[in-house]
Amino acid sequence: MKLHILAIAAHPDDAELACSGTLMQHVELGYKVGIVDLTLGELGTRGTPALRLQEAAAASEIMDIDVRENLRMADGFFENNALHQLQLIKVIRKYQPDIVLANAIHDRHPDHGRGAQLAVDSCFKAGLRKIETLDEEGKPQEAWRPKSVYHYIQDTYIIPDFVVDISPFIDRKTKAMRAYGSQFFNEDYEGNDDEPTTYISDKKFIQRIVNRASALAAHTGFEYVEGFTVNRTPGVQNLFDLH
């Protein structure tokens, strides 16, 4: 399946926290949208890899995205090297996205910045025809390079280069985040009382994400937005494409 937009995330829940509103907005507009998680998040203090997969599936259903895969790279230890680039190149060539949304260029969690550069390098190299890869059936894949790579903003505040209006989707974004009951506070999740409290399991964490979406919207005319940074300056044909 060809995708218009592919979000690449170091961990299950990264995309939900940082760009799920944008993904849902484009699903609503009729675009094909997917997420590829690099790891199972197996080093997380709370939950298990199997549970994270279940939560990711539940969140995907809420977002109504077309595709979700997990590449099962080693959480905390994957590298931006040939092995992992080739693994991601195969996925990029498989789905042929026009736009890739990648992790923040730097962040509190070291996997995020490393995942960001892995995505950038893999997107470029996916367009080099002399790098040969095979699909699941053993057939040669065609070279494909996404037109744009944008980085979503995560825990560390980064001034966005542009923002996307997610006002109609803020409630579904919150619901998608709360699908990860093992990671974030969810009074319906039975395991909360038995596992250690973490930075992201604090009752106020989800509200902070919503508050940031509101704060970033200041002066835009929107109520809630998600912010992104760019590797290269986008171009428009006329000033009315800018809001």
Side-chain angles (χ1 to χ4, degrees), residues 22-236:
T22 299
L23 297 180
M24 287 186 282
Q25 185 214 52
H26 286 83
V27 169
E28 192 84 359
L29 292 171
Y31 292 100
K32 296 292 185 182
V33 173
I35 297 174
V36 169
D37 300 308
L38 301 182
T39 78
L40 291 166
E42 64 269 22
L43 294 184
T45 301
R46 298 157 61 90
T48 65
L51 183 54
R52 296 291 288 274
L53 283 175
Q54 293 174 15
E55 292 169 340
S60 298
E61 186 172 347
I62 292 167
M63 293 184 288
D64 197 27
I65 60 175
D66 297 281
V67 171
R68 190 161 200 162
E69 284 193 29
N70 194 298
L71 300 187
R72 299 174 183 261
M73 296 180 184
D75 187 16
F77 294 98
F78 71 84
E79 298 291 342
N80 182 18
N81 56 21
L83 176 66
H84 293 100
Q85 287 176 13
L86 285 169
Q87 194 174 354
L88 193 50
I89 285 169
K90 289 181 180 180
V91 173
I92 294 166
R93 289 177 171 178
K94 175 182 177 180
Y95 292 118
Q96 299 184 341
D98 299 303
I99 295 173
V100 164
L101 305 180
N103 282 103
I105 53 174
H106 61 82
D107 202 46
R108 173 175 175 267
H109 197 305
D111 277 2
H112 296 167
R114 193 164 60 253
Q117 195 58 50
L118 173 60
V120 170
D121 291 348
S122 299
C123 284
F124 180 83
K125 292 181 180 179
L128 300 177
R129 66 182 181 85
K130 291 187 177 179
I131 295 179
E132 298 178 358
T133 57
L134 303 176
D135 64 18
E136 290 94 334
E137 298 177 353
K139 298 177 181 178
Q141 292 180 305
E142 293 184 6
W144 179 269
R145 182 174 297 147
K147 296 176 181 177
S148 301
V149 178
Y150 302 129
H151 297 276
Y152 42 84
I153 296 170
Q154 299 186 256
D155 188 71
T156 298
Y157 177 71
I158 301 173
I159 297 174
D161 293 316
F162 69 91
V163 297
V164 176
D165 177 24
I166 63 163
S167 304
F169 304 98
I170 192 65
D171 291 338
R172 281 175 61 197
K173 175 183 173 76
T174 302
K175 187 176 180 181
M177 292 187 289
R178 292 197 184 281
Y180 293 87
S182 68
Q183 303 304 301
F184 312 119
F185 179 78
N186 186 331
E187 59 187 10
D188 296 325
Y189 174 62
E190 296 179 356
N192 272 320
D193 294 335
D194 301 324
E195 298 184 89
T197 300
T198 66
Y199 170 68
I200 64 174
S201 71
D202 182 274
K203 289 184 179 181
K204 297 179 180 179
F205 182 79
I206 294 291
Q207 188 58 48
R208 292 191 193 107
I209 300 296
V210 175
N211 291 346
R212 174 177 285 184
S214 176
L216 283 175
H219 312 300
T220 66
F222 305 129
E223 189 173 2
Y224 297 99
V225 301
E226 289 172 337
F228 298 86
T229 61
V230 302
N231 284 300
R232 62 178 180 83
T233 304
V236 296

